[in-house]
Amino acid sequence: PSSPSSQVATAPSPSCPSSSSPSRRVVTATSDGTHVVQSNGYCLYDSCTFRMTNDDTWNFHDVTSPVRRRDARTLVCVSPYGTARVRAKSGDVVELAEKDFSPIPWRGRIVSVAKDAFTVDTDVPEGDAIRLLFDRAHATTHVKIRNCTVEDSHFRGLLYTHDTTVENCTFRRTGGHSLSFEVYYNLERSAEGSGVTNVVVRGCTFEESERRLNYSDSATIRTTATVNPRSVAPKTLRRGVFGQFLVENNRFVNPRGMCLKMDAVRDLVFRNNDIELRSYRGNQRYTQGWLGFENSENVRIEGNRWHVSPSVTNAPAIRIEGDCPRFGQTGNVVTGPVEADWKGADVA
């Protein structure tokens, strides 16, 4: 929707005259299956099928903006789109964060909106550094996706959301990351997302994921930040911009690359999952079935089972990059011909 919305539920209709099935409603799209922007959250997708989307399966995000302080009460948008892209209006409450998404203890209310700037009612902290402005008039929170099927998608299942549950879903032959939790900003365009927290991925099946991705860090489930140009990017993101993740009781079948690749996560549990590495056809990455962590904290890997067929020669591993304090693993098992090569968290 083009305006803020709340309390949205998407589910099969009781009847549809144009369909052979009494409970099937067919909707076509040329790019993303659905694209939800600047909502008030509380969205439910229940028992839906997404097939052959030409871009992302779904995209939930808020629009934010890189800004600079012009004077005590004025914030100027860095992007050439100015204030039009953000669509914040007089009366909206806004907050600021540093480029690494660390919150700034400041909150103001918009008094007026010009083509390229916002006037606010509270003095802005001094400094001419680029900061990120979040409009709290909307918040993409409380998103639930359950009992859905995604097949032959082109790219990602994109979520810039808080308080999110993905449960009992099936993903088959996804072109990119089946679930991608992101933050983003581009000084020449705009910014999206304020972080992703309180996420549950439970009881899902991921079959033959990442079919279109050709890099070793590709993953079925990931967190990531995209910052352009790279010259302004922080060296690391604030740990906790992605936080409170529970990934449990899922089944990963023959992923092309990693099952999980997480950056800047705080408080994650990955437990009781089954990873089946059935074949190596030449297009799998050497990281097939791995778990990867970078700049993360308080991560627990517990009770997972890797089932490796004789045709798979690469041993699964847990890769840790950078400083990842309070990392622990217990009760994980690998069965198959590479069992003796299991390296656990020793691979860097």
Side-chain angles (χ1 to χ4, degrees):
S2 60
S3 59
S5 62
S6 62
Q7 306 294 334
V8 176
T10 303
S13 63
S15 64
C16 181
S18 63
S19 172
S20 59
S21 170
S23 61
R24 183 165 175 257
R25 174 175 292 166
V26 178
V27 179
T28 63
T30 59
S31 188
D32 294 352
T34 62
H35 199 128
V36 179
V37 182
Q38 290 175 300
S39 76
N40 289 330
Y42 293 90
C43 180
L44 170 65
Y45 284 8
D46 191 354
S47 304
C48 300
T49 298
F50 299 83
R51 183 178 291 119
M52 299 183 71
T53 52
N54 199 39
D55 195 0
D56 299 320
T57 304
W58 48 64
N59 188 340
F60 292 86
H61 69 88
D62 295 334
V63 177
T64 57
S65 180
V67 295
R68 274 197 172 101
R69 179 184 185 274
R70 174 184 289 168
D71 55 49
R73 297 290 179 96
T74 307
L75 291 166
V76 179
C77 292
V78 176
S79 161
Y81 290 96
T83 58
R85 182 97 180 209
V86 187
R87 295 187 294 182
K89 59 188 182 300
S90 296
D92 285 0
V93 173
V94 292
E95 297 174 357
L96 293 174
E98 304 289 1
K99 289 189 297 182
D100 68 350
F101 291 88
S102 296
I104 295 172
W106 176 89
R107 173 177 282 207
R109 190 177 298 274
I110 295 176
V111 175
S112 62
V113 181
K115 184 177 180 179
D116 67 340
F118 299 105
T119 303
V120 293
D121 67 350
T122 306
D123 286 358
V124 177
E126 293 188 3
D128 60 357
I130 294 171
R131 293 158 171 165
L132 303 175
L133 179 141
F134 305 141
D135 181 4
R136 294 310 185 192
H138 48 78
T140 303
T141 63
H142 296 91
V143 174
K144 180 173 285 190
I145 301 172
R146 69 187 184 196
N147 306 319
C148 291
T149 299
V150 177
E151 295 180 329
D152 302 298
S153 62
H154 179 81
F155 205 18
R156 305 161 294 184
L158 192 53
L159 295 158
Y160 299 78
T161 53
H162 298 274
D163 307 312
T164 301
T165 299
V166 182
E167 191 168 31
N168 298 329
C169 294
T170 299
F171 299 80
R172 296 190 182 99
R173 302 176 300 275
T174 51
H177 315 281
S178 298
L179 294 173
S180 189
F181 301 94
E182 302 194 15
V183 290
Y184 157 88
Y185 61 90
N186 186 328
L187 301 190
E188 297 177 354
R189 298 180 63 185
S190 65
E192 297 176 0
S194 59
V196 179
T197 57
N198 193 23
V199 174
V200 176
V201 181
R202 176 188 293 130
C204 295
T205 298
F206 303 90
E207 299 180 7
E208 303 280 349
S209 55
E210 312 153 57
R211 290 167 67 90
R212 296 176 57 87
L213 301 180
N214 293 315
Y215 53 93
S216 60
D217 280 355
S218 69
T220 301
I221 302 173
R222 72 165 183 174
T223 62
T224 189
T226 302
V227 178
N228 288 304
R230 296 298 299 173
S231 59
V232 304
K235 291 183 178 180
T236 59
L237 289 183
R238 174 183 64 86
R239 287 182 195 147
V241 66
F242 305 106
Q244 299 85 54
F245 275 68
L246 173 61
V247 182
E248 66 175 0
N249 302 330
N250 300 288
R251 182 173 172 232
F252 299 82
V253 180
N254 224 37
R256 187 176 188 186
M258 293 185 178
C259 296
L260 200 69
K261 177 63 172 71
M262 312 299 271
D263 182 16
V265 172
R266 177 181 288 128
D267 303 329
L268 177 141
V269 176
F270 183 85
R271 70 186 179 198
N272 299 331
N273 298 284
D274 285 279
I275 299 97
E276 301 176 21
L277 307 182
R278 294 180 176 179
S279 64
Y280 185 83
R281 300 189 304 273
N283 64 346
Q284 265 78 7
R285 310 299 302 177
Y286 70 90
T287 53
Q288 183 187 18
W290 287 22
L291 310 179
F293 300 92
E294 183 175 358
N295 184 37
S296 296
E297 182 177 3
N298 196 27
V299 173
R300 299 292 302 174
I301 312 300
E302 302 173 345
N304 302 286
R305 298 162 293 277
W306 279 260
H307 312 274
V308 184
S309 76
S311 63
V312 176
T313 57
N314 289 329
I318 300 174
R319 184 172 74 184
I320 300 174
E321 299 176 277
D323 187 23
C324 293
R326 294 192 293 154
F327 183 98
Q329 60 165 332
T330 182
N332 300 295
V333 177
V334 176
T335 59
V338 298
E339 182 175 359
D341 293 329
W342 167 245
K343 296 182 176 61
D346 297 332
V347 175

